[in-house]
Amino acid sequence: MSSTAAPTVSRRTWWIVGTVGVVVMTAFAIWFGIAGASGKVHWYNAGFEIVSDEQIDVRFDVRRDPTRAVTCDLHALDEHHARVGTGQVTVPPADTSPTRHVEPLRTVSRAVTGYVDSCSYTG
């Protein structure tokens, strides 16, 4: 009877396999994150100014492909968190990115906050 013993894998081999696996998965995660964020519109709510009971100015920054127009949805809320104003604004193409914008928003009653809810490329 012949006996064939299974070859043993050294501890060093498993460390090498594990290290290569971690490096490959890290590279994949970085690539996936960059691919998911490139070409998207990003906005930052930079504040607001209550002008009157019927208007609030919303201040925001937009980071995007500067050659493309962007449409942003604006909202204003009252002290009970009820929406008292909504609007859309089109941000035209620009020479640089990011760009700062201040847009007036009409309200049906006094707002206590105003913000950008979303932005996307126009068209």
Side-chain angles (χ1 to χ4, degrees):
M1 230 165 45
S2 72
S3 169
T4 56
T8 59
V9 179
S10 71
R11 190 177 258 206
R12 181 178 176 185
T13 302
W14 284 117
W15 274 104
I16 292 171
V17 169
T19 302
V20 169
V22 168
V23 168
V24 168
M25 293 306 289
T26 301
F28 178 73
I30 291 170
W31 172 81
F32 189 74
I34 291 171
S38 64
K40 305 253 180 178
V41 179
H42 301 277
W43 66 94
Y44 170 74
N45 288 299
F48 58 90
E49 180 181 350
I50 301 168
V51 177
S52 69
D53 287 347
E54 292 83 31
Q55 181 180 331
I56 189 167
D57 289 348
V58 179
R59 186 172 50 251
F60 60 99
D61 299 335
V62 177
R63 182 181 306 269
R64 43 65 196 260
D65 175 359
T67 63
R68 297 178 66 187
V70 171
T71 300
C72 295
D73 294 320
L74 308 177
H75 296 295
L77 304 179
D78 68 6
E79 62 187 6
H80 303 291
H81 305 288
R83 193 176 296 167
V84 294
T86 61
Q88 269 193 346
V89 62
T90 299
V91 178
D95 293 332
T96 62
S97 180
T99 53
R100 163 93 20 123
H101 305 275
V102 178
E103 295 293 334
L105 183 60
R106 304 294 295 168
T107 61
V108 295
S109 64
R110 187 166 187 83
V112 296
T113 189
Y115 63 96
V116 175
D117 185 57
S118 66
C119 290
S120 61
Y121 286 114
T122 304

